């Protein structure tokens, strides 16, 4: 598993241009549940990342229901048919400030949100509730 130079560039931009307490959501988690590059390089928190490490498969885990709820939310956000009101309301409820779309994973996906950064591989939107 790796990230492209363009992904790295976008994540460094996020680190340098967002508040330290910013939270983002990313479609990268849909490919790999152990993926944590974005939080590592951005030094920002993610809505859902690396969840396999916190016993997401153990139904007795305190986090089991919350993890699966968040997986369902991320699936919905990146489904291509997500309602913008649902997106804003849900992300605001969870304190998420930014939404990342990987163009190689979702080439035709865009949102009616403020685009704050874009390159070949990444589009970063600001979520205002």
């Amino acid at each position: 598993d790796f990230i492209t130079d363009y992904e790295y560039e976008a994540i460094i931009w996020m680190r340098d241009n967002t508040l330290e307490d910013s939270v983002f959501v990313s479609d990268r988690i849909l490919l790999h549940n152990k993926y944590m590059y974005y939080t590592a390089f951005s030094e920002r928190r993610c809505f859902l990342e690396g969840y396999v490490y916190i016993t997401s498969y153990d139904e007795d885990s305190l986090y089991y229901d919350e993890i699966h709820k968040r997986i369902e939310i991320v699936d919905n956000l990146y489904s291509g048919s997500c309602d913008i009101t649902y997106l804003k309301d849900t992300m605001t409820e969870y304190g998420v400030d930014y939404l990342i779309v990987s163009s190689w994973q979702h080439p035709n996906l865009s949102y009616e949100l403020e685009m704050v950064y874009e390159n070949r591989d990444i589009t970063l939107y600001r979520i205002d509730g």
Side-chain angles (χ1 to χ4, degrees):
D1 198 23
F2 66 93
I3 62 173
T4 68
D5 290 342
Y6 291 99
E7 287 177 287
Y8 181 75
E9 178 184 289
I11 298 311
I12 295 304
W13 183 94
M14 191 166 65
R15 181 196 68 199
D16 294 343
N17 293 280
T18 63
L19 298 174
E20 288 183 12
D21 64 349
S22 295
V23 179
F24 67 89
V25 63
S26 169
D27 53 359
R28 259 296 196 150
I29 196 67
L30 299 172
L31 294 177
H32 197 290
N33 61 13
K34 294 181 182 177
Y35 180 84
M36 293 186 286
Y37 289 117
Y38 285 4
T39 53
F41 294 125
S42 72
E43 301 174 15
R44 302 297 181 264
R45 291 179 296 138
C46 184
F47 174 71
L48 180 66
E49 195 171 63
Y51 61 84
V52 73
Y53 294 112
I54 53 174
T55 65
S56 62
Y57 301 111
D58 177 3
E59 292 184 20
D60 295 325
S61 166
L62 297 174
Y63 305 106
Y64 182 84
D65 290 338
E66 182 62 26
I67 290 168
H68 288 275
K69 181 178 180 182
R70 287 179 183 228
I71 293 168
E72 185 177 316
I73 290 169
V74 172
D75 283 340
N76 189 11
L77 292 179
Y78 293 100
S79 68
S81 61
C82 180
D83 175 72
I84 194 70
T85 302
Y86 168 84
L87 184 153
K88 287 182 177 182
D89 290 349
T90 304
M91 294 295 91
T92 299
E93 176 184 336
Y94 280 93
V96 177
D97 306 293
Y98 295 92
L99 180 133
I100 298 173
V101 176
S102 304
S103 60
W104 51 268
Q105 189 172 350
H106 294 101
N108 299 312
L109 187 60
S110 64
Y111 293 94
E112 293 178 21
L113 298 168
E114 178 187 0
M115 183 189 338
V116 295
Y117 182 87
E118 182 178 39
N119 68 24
R120 187 192 76 183
D121 293 348
I122 296 290
T123 305
L124 180 62
Y125 296 96
R126 181 186 338 265
I127 302 169
D128 293 319

